[in-house]
Amino acid sequence: MAQDTLSQEQVIRRGMDELVVDTTSVSWVDGQQGRLYYRGFRIEDLAKSASFEEVAYLLLCGELPAGQQLQGFSWKLRQLSHTPEKTIRIIQELPRHTAPLAALQTALAALGCTDPKPKYSEEETLLGLALRIIAQTPIILAATYRLHQGNSILPARDDLTHAQNFLYMLSGRVPDEEAARAMEIALIIQMDHGFNSSTFTARAVASTLTNMYAATSAAVGALSGPLHGGASEEVVQMLADIEEWGDPKSYLDNLFASGGKVMGMGHRVYKQTDPRAVIFEKLLAQLTRNEKSPKDIQTLGYVAGYAREHFAARNQPIHVNVDFWSGAVYRRLGIQPVLFPAIFAAARIVGWCAHIIELRQNNRLYRPLSSYTGPVDLKFVPLAERGK
Ligand code: COA
């Protein structure tokens, strides 16, 4: 009973497939070539040579920082890395089993309540807000994680970098150079990724001219779904399921036969291997160079190879994505699976803020149309007469 007829130019794009809704110069996902650029730089180069702080500056301010700019930026980030007492009290009231992303969504909204000027929209104030949100995110996540593990919360240290501090606040130990660099690379390569679901959410919410806390909190909600940021944890579950099943081949045959999805594979934009997965795989090889035949890597390698053949035989361009190897990397950093999706948020928070700042320079309310398929002009029946 469709009432709404589409004009010739109007096409319904469910899931917004192939739809271009805005311009951006923050990042570009070249799905055909399997490349990802931040402000024009290949992520491989940034992962090889840049720090978290440098790449965050690049995304937020549009260019790589010179020495003094980087110093000032890193100093501000550290200044804003104090424990948010009121927000932490709210987190402490949540049930112990609360997922870190759910706690972060709550905490970002709460941080907005404790900021006396959340609504200011001048560029400088927006950057200040972004820095506060970026600095507070790992603190909130680490606090939630430690509470989840039954440990007391640790404050950030002044003498550590952003990535070092994150690992320190999670474990209580200052990480060695290799672990700190591994976390830094993980954060760098997941900072931004075009108009993915959570970034689109951040932009859509920010386009109403609400504050940055509301927009980033909503983005965390979008990230928490298994089709987006939750897949790294699902990969761990898949490994456990395969272990229980006993044999990866028959597990996958059964999964494919029942129309199930291999977690950590497939992407809306990439028609090639996700370049972030390539970096994670190399990082994993480096971190496990002294391990003798690690079971999880063997199983993941088998899954990737067998699934690739399965998809190739059907002409489906489905490859491993960013979430396929990341969990195995995080495990080597001593982190439990419950935090895996939240590490994604600790990185992506930078991209969300960069997109909000970009949007505010030329804001336009995001307001798409829908095609109505329900009835119209129904006769209202009073409650007393219904069901007779
Ligand atoms: N395993 C098995 N089949 C897959 C698949 C996967 N991981 N990803 C996609 N497909 C198949 C679908 O079953 C569908 O097949 P069909 O046309 O025969 O029905 C086809 O490929 C298109 O899938 P669809 O889910 O419509 O594509 P999408 O563009 O919406 O997919 C994802 C993108 C990420 C949602 C999807 O690949 C997925 O669910 N992957 C697993 C979750 C994941 O790893 N998410 C992290 C993303 S970074």
Side-chain angles (χ1 to χ4, degrees):
M1 218 198 294
Q3 298 297 325
D4 195 17
T5 44
L6 298 172
S7 73
Q8 270 191 335
E9 303 80 51
Q10 287 176 316
V11 185
I12 298 174
R13 295 197 189 275
R14 294 201 63 236
M16 291 187 268
D17 289 31
E18 308 283 330
L19 189 69
V20 180
V21 295
D22 212 338
T23 59
T24 182
S25 63
V26 180
S27 69
W28 178 41
V29 184
D30 180 351
Q32 294 303 329
Q33 302 295 327
R35 289 185 185 154
L36 171 59
Y37 297 87
Y38 292 170
R39 303 272 187 200
F41 294 96
R42 292 268 296 266
I43 54 154
E44 290 81 357
D45 294 333
L46 297 170
K48 190 170 163 215
S49 312
S51 66
F52 172 92
E53 288 80 356
E54 264 178 292
V55 183
Y57 185 103
L58 170 71
L59 288 182
L60 294 165
C61 304
E63 58 186 10
L64 283 170
Q68 275 202 338
Q69 288 168 318
L70 181 61
Q71 264 181 14
F73 182 85
S74 308
W75 181 81
K76 266 193 218 152
L77 209 52
R78 238 173 273 153
Q79 289 291 303
L80 292 163
S81 298
H82 51 81
T83 306
E85 300 297 344
K86 284 194 177 124
T87 303
I88 294 293
R89 280 206 291 280
I90 292 172
I91 294 175
Q92 282 168 328
E93 288 301 316
L94 298 172
R96 170 84 51 97
H97 62 261
T98 302
L101 278 183
L104 179 64
Q105 190 178 1
T106 308
L108 286 174
L111 272 185
C113 303
T114 57
D115 187 335
K117 295 180 185 169
K119 281 193 177 155
Y120 279 29
S121 60
E122 295 87 15
E123 206 172 313
E124 200 170 314
T125 321
L126 269 184
L127 184 60
L129 277 179
L131 286 179
R132 179 172 189 241
I133 289 170
I134 294 164
Q136 293 285 310
T137 293
I139 296 170
I140 291 161
L141 290 176
T144 312
Y145 180 72
R146 286 187 70 84
L147 291 172
H148 192 277
Q149 310 288 107
N151 294 321
S152 57
I153 296 168
L154 289 170
R157 281 175 40 162
D158 281 347
D159 58 332
L160 301 180
T161 65
H162 192 81
Q164 285 173 323
N165 247 325
F166 190 24
L167 278 174
Y168 163 72
M169 289 185 290
L170 291 171
S171 69
R173 288 181 304 279
V174 176
D176 64 28
E177 213 175 294
E178 186 174 48
R181 184 61 192 154
M183 174 55 90
E184 186 156 51
I185 290 172
L187 293 176
I188 288 171
I189 64 177
Q190 296 179 92
M191 267 187 202
D192 202 46
H193 206 239
F195 275 29
N196 58 88
S197 306
S198 57
T199 301
F200 178 78
T201 302
R203 291 185 70 119
V205 175
S207 79
T208 68
L209 295 185
T210 185
N211 64 63
M212 210 180 246
Y213 300 99
T216 49
S217 171
V220 174
L223 185 74
S224 60
L227 295 187
H228 190 7
S232 51
E233 206 180 354
E234 301 284 333
V235 171
V236 177
Q237 186 55 48
M238 177 178 73
L239 285 175
D241 292 345
I242 291 176
E243 180 79 28
E244 202 180 312
W245 190 274
D247 161 39
K249 181 180 178 306
S250 74
Y251 170 88
L252 288 170
D253 287 340
N254 181 62
L255 184 78
F256 292 137
S258 59
K261 282 184 171 175
V262 184
M263 286 294 136
M265 296 195 81
H267 201 274
R268 179 68 63 81
V269 184
Y270 288 120
K271 304 301 167 213
Q272 299 282 339
T273 300
D274 181 334
R276 301 165 301 172
V278 176
I279 296 174
F280 265 130
E281 192 179 3
K282 284 187 188 151
L283 201 52
L284 187 59
Q286 173 72 17
L287 291 172
T288 56
R289 64 193 177 282
N290 297 325
E291 287 180 36
K292 272 192 198 145
S293 16
K295 185 85 195 292
D296 59 338
I297 300 181
Q298 281 181 345
T299 308
L300 285 174
Y302 182 87
V303 170
Y306 191 74
R308 190 170 44 236
E309 279 173 25
H310 170 89
F311 295 131
R314 282 155 191 76
N315 258 334
Q316 287 179 299
I318 300 173
H319 305 268
V320 292
N321 63 44
V322 63
D323 288 322
F324 193 78
W325 302 105
S326 62
V329 168
Y330 300 148
R331 251 198 63 205
R332 267 66 188 187
L333 301 181
I335 300 169
Q336 296 296 317
V338 68
L339 195 80
F340 295 175
I343 299 173
F344 209 145
R348 191 55 59 83
I349 193 82
V350 178
W352 295 331
C353 292
H355 277 274
I356 295 167
I357 292 172
E358 178 183 65
L359 180 71
R360 282 292 158 80
Q361 286 161 5
N362 184 17
N363 195 77
R364 173 113 182 118
L365 178 70
Y366 282 24
R367 176 48 171 104
L369 295 176
S370 56
S371 174
Y372 178 70
T373 57
V376 293
D377 293 336
L378 294 180
K379 186 174 179 307
F380 181 82
V381 181
L383 181 59
E385 292 171 28
R386 279 176 236 158
K388 284 184 180 167

